[in-house]
């Protein structure tokens, strides 16, 4: 019950601080939406993304947060970077590792004027638990 209340508090905090209502879709719905032309925005770090990510036609990796020696910090260029590859009218599904960063990113995108943005509940962990297609980026080889 405590986890549920914390989640509810987090959702209400995001809703009331941004004024944007965030919709969350599960990974099964996400899979169908991707097949119908939605864009998947993976907001995990580049390192997380390269280890494995949702496989699909329109997938972009724009980190919402960066790892630093002091901890995670928000990407100050997140909205600008998303605007560089997506239009406000695009149908976006925003995912991360478990669904927390993507919740914040979705709220920011809605507040910035993006119209059709949904959070992917459970994120990449739920995607892999359902044995949906993933892609692993090949490591770049050092040139001698």
């Amino acid at each position: 019950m405590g986890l549920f209340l914390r989640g509810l508090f987090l959702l209400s905090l995001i809703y009331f601080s941004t004024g944007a209502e965030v919709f969350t879709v599960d990974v099964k719905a996400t899979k169908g939406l991707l097949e119908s032309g939605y864009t998947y925005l993976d907001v995990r770090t580049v390192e997380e993304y390269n280890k494995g990510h949702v496989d699909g036609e329109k997938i972009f990796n724009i980190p919402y947060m960066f790892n630093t020696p002091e901890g995670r910090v928000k990407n100050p260029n997140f909205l600008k970077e998303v605007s560089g590859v997506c239009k406000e009218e695009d149908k976006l599904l925003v995912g991360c590792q478990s669904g927390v960063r993507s919740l914040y990113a979705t709220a920011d995108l809605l507040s910035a004027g993006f119209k059709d943005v949904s959070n992917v509940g459970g994120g990449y962990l739920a995607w892999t638990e359902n044995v949906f297609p993933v892609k692993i980026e090949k490591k770049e080889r050092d040139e001698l």
Side-chain angles (χ1 to χ4, degrees), residues 55-127:
D55 192 15
E57 279 189 44
K58 294 192 275 184
I59 310 290
F60 295 106
N61 175 226
I62 300 174
Y64 184 70
M65 302 189 94
F66 295 120
N67 293 325
T68 70
E70 294 79 30
R72 285 192 173 161
V73 295
K74 185 176 174 182
N75 175 357
N77 297 316
F78 176 72
L79 292 172
K80 181 179 177 182
E81 291 176 24
V82 173
S83 295
V85 295
C86 299
K87 298 177 185 162
E88 288 183 354
E89 299 77 29
D90 288 349
K91 297 176 180 183
L92 301 177
L93 298 165
V94 182
C96 64
Q97 189 71 8
S98 64
V100 177
R101 282 174 282 176
S102 58
L103 191 62
Y104 285 104
T106 300
D108 281 0
L109 289 165
L110 289 167
S111 293
F114 283 82
K115 313 279 186 268
D116 193 347
V117 185
S118 297
N119 177 51
V120 176
Y124 184 69
L125 292 175
W127 185 268

Side-chain angles (χ1 to χ4, degrees), residues 1-9:
M1 185 70 163
L3 183 59
F4 173 76
L5 290 175
R6 280 184 268 160
L8 188 59
F9 173 75

